[in-house]
Amino acid sequence: MDVVIIDFMDYFSYQWVEDLLIIIGIVVAILFIRWLILFFSKKINSDSRDGIKQHNTAVRYVLNWLSLYSILLFILFYFFDSGWFVGEIISVGSVEITASLIIIAVLIITLANRASKIVTKYFLPRVFDRYQLDRGVQFTFSRIFHYSVMIIAIIISLSTVGIDLSALTVFAGVVGVGIGFGLQNIASNFISGIILLFERPIKVGDRVIVDDILGDVEKINMRATVIKTIDNEHIIVPNSYFLEEHVVNRSYSDPTLRLTIPIGVAYGSDVEKVRDLLLQVANDEYEDSKVMILDPKPFVNFVGFGDSSLDFELFVWILNPNHVIVTKSNINFRINRILADNNIEIPFPQRDLHVKSLNGKIMDDIKN
């Protein structure tokens, strides 16, 4: 028993245990300071309702950033001369991987990621606004910039650790075989995402129809595209879908879109008057709408003679496909009002039932 106790005490007298306790203490202290700043920040802004959420989110983001790098930098500088910190953890070929090299690599990659996000969020939008680039081009440039920065950061971090990049050719061959057999779908979607960013058959901000679902392209990620529907639902669609299936893109090339508004009136109505009233509706909507245009001119199509009505279609053109529902609704309101004011009936389906007289003997049999 005495031997066990001595060994146990010797175990906790090791230098790395003391270092570990110091690290835990520093982490707890930094997290406590972070909590205090967040607590007092909420107290100071508790009386103001405007922008509280945005302010707290920004403060939390900065504090998380500072906390992480404070811990990493403390570990890097305080324990730089410690044996366990610069000692070999694992070897890859002739390269000795140490804790210090791992932390330096993490710092390089995370700093590159943070810097890339700051540039794409705060600096690039100013450049985009100056050159009046559309939303899709902005997203493409931002993604390419971010990917390029991260690739460079990974290469630098690997070189810092001491890994010879030429030694990765074997690993790349193994990955290639894996892609060929088990990762075909992932590779296909990744390559499709790159094609989408450069060829741009769809781009961020486009209004598309996928499987009869209408929505706007919100993000084009490495594997899938995020579409936000008009009901505020999000659909995750694999990138390869847009290259292999039929997709309706209402914003491709020319966003101008023709709307078709069907309308039926009762038999016996003055069809010339109906045409004039529908054209008046189109002109009235043009006066109030910011997206409707008169070139091409509105047109009334006399479709034909339906079962219960004379069928017409009003064709109008709008500049923005995002206003389809609102414009159609406004025009339908106007049509209903103007037809009612001019005593033109909008019929509902009707059926005439003709009952033929039956033979008297048959009627007697039915009664009996």
Side-chain angles (χ1 to χ4, degrees):
M1 178 65 68
D2 295 338
V3 174
V4 174
I5 294 176
I6 293 172
D7 291 341
F8 185 76
M9 296 303 295
D10 290 341
Y11 176 80
F12 276 97
S13 66
Y14 289 162
Q15 182 64 40
W16 69 269
V17 176
E18 298 178 4
D19 293 341
L20 180 61
L21 294 176
I22 293 175
I23 293 175
I24 294 175
I26 293 298
V27 170
V28 171
I30 291 176
L31 293 179
F32 179 72
I33 294 173
R34 173 186 174 276
W35 177 82
L36 283 179
I37 296 175
L38 282 176
F39 178 78
F40 286 110
S41 176
K42 292 179 181 179
K43 286 290 185 180
I44 294 173
N45 294 278
S46 60
D47 297 333
S48 175
R49 294 180 178 271
D50 298 332
I52 292 178
K53 185 176 181 180
Q54 293 82 353
H55 177 269
N56 291 337
T57 301
V59 171
R60 186 178 293 107
Y61 178 84
V62 173
L63 287 177
N64 291 340
W65 187 84
L66 291 176
S67 300
L68 173 63
Y69 289 107
S70 297
I71 294 171
L72 292 178
L73 289 175
F74 169 79
I75 294 173
L76 183 63
F77 288 105
Y78 185 82
F79 300 105
F80 194 77
D81 295 331
S82 300
W84 68 268
F85 193 65
V86 296
E88 176 185 344
I89 297 177
I90 189 175
S91 61
V92 180
S94 60
V95 179
E96 297 181 355
I97 305 299
T98 65
S100 60
L101 292 178
I102 293 175
I103 291 180
I104 292 173
V106 170
L107 279 172
I108 293 173
I109 294 175
T110 54
L111 278 172
N113 183 53
R114 298 283 183 176
S116 175
K117 288 184 177 180
I118 292 173
V119 172
T120 54
K121 187 174 182 179
Y122 297 104
F123 294 98
L124 287 184
R126 299 180 181 179
V127 178
F128 297 149
D129 293 339
R130 180 177 180 181
Y131 293 98
Q132 298 181 348
L133 300 179
D134 63 66
R135 186 181 173 191
V137 175
Q138 294 179 21
F139 184 84
T140 300
F141 275 111
S142 297
R143 280 294 178 181
I144 293 174
F145 176 81
H146 178 70
Y147 292 156
S148 301
V149 170
M150 293 308 299
I151 290 173
I152 294 172
I154 292 173
I155 293 174
I156 294 175
S157 63
L158 291 176
S159 301
T160 303
V161 172
I163 296 177
D164 186 4
L165 297 179
S166 62
L168 297 178
T169 54
V170 177
F171 175 75
V174 174
V175 173
V177 174
I179 290 174
F181 286 99
L183 303 177
Q184 294 181 16
N185 190 29
I186 296 175
S188 174
N189 288 320
F190 175 74
I191 296 173
S192 298
I194 295 176
I195 294 174
L196 291 177
L197 289 175
F198 283 94
E199 186 178 331
R200 304 175 69 220
I202 64 166
K203 57 185 182 295
V204 173
D206 282 358
R207 173 149 291 190
V208 298
I209 300 177
V210 177
D211 289 338
D212 297 327
I213 299 176
L214 181 65
D216 299 320
V217 178
E218 196 168 70
K219 289 182 180 179
I220 302 177
N221 296 322
M222 294 178 64
R223 190 194 65 84
T225 296
V226 180
I227 296 178
K228 182 179 180 181
T229 70
I230 57 177
D231 297 323
N232 202 33
E233 298 175 338
H234 290 79
I235 304 175
I236 312 301
V237 183
N239 291 329
S240 58
Y241 178 91
F242 296 98
L243 301 181
E244 299 172 356
E245 304 293 337
H246 296 287
V247 179
V248 178
N249 187 350
R250 288 183 170 179
S251 306
Y252 186 78
S253 181
D254 185 3
T256 304
L257 185 69
R258 190 186 75 176
L259 302 185
T260 302
I261 296 91
I263 181 66
V265 299
Y267 276 92
S269 302
D270 186 343
V271 293
E272 284 79 12
K273 184 176 183 181
V274 172
R275 178 193 60 198
D276 295 338
L277 292 175
L278 293 178
L279 291 176
Q280 180 181 338
V281 165
N283 290 322
D284 292 343
E285 178 64 19
Y286 169 75
E287 296 294 332
D288 296 335
S289 175
K290 296 180 180 180
V291 296
M292 185 175 164
I293 57 176
L294 296 181
D295 185 20
K297 294 181 179 180
F299 175 73
V300 176
N301 177 31
F302 191 167
V303 178
F305 305 91
D307 294 336
S308 305
S309 63
L310 300 173
D311 297 329
F312 295 84
E313 290 178 336
L314 174 61
F315 297 152
V316 298
W317 294 82
I318 61 174
L319 294 173
N320 192 335
N322 295 341
H323 290 77
V324 170
I325 295 177
V326 174
T327 305
K328 273 190 173 182
S329 177
N330 291 340
I331 291 177
N332 283 330
F333 274 114
R334 293 181 185 275
I335 291 175
N336 183 72
R337 182 169 59 251
I338 200 170
L339 293 183
D341 293 342
N342 288 272
N343 298 318
I344 296 178
E345 181 184 355
I346 300 176
F348 53 86
Q350 302 180 38
R351 294 291 183 271
D352 294 331
L353 179 63
H354 298 279
V355 181
K356 295 184 178 180
S357 58
L358 299 177
N359 185 279
K361 184 179 179 180
I362 297 176
M363 290 295 296
D364 293 336
D365 293 340
I366 293 174
K367 291 178 180 180
N368 295 330

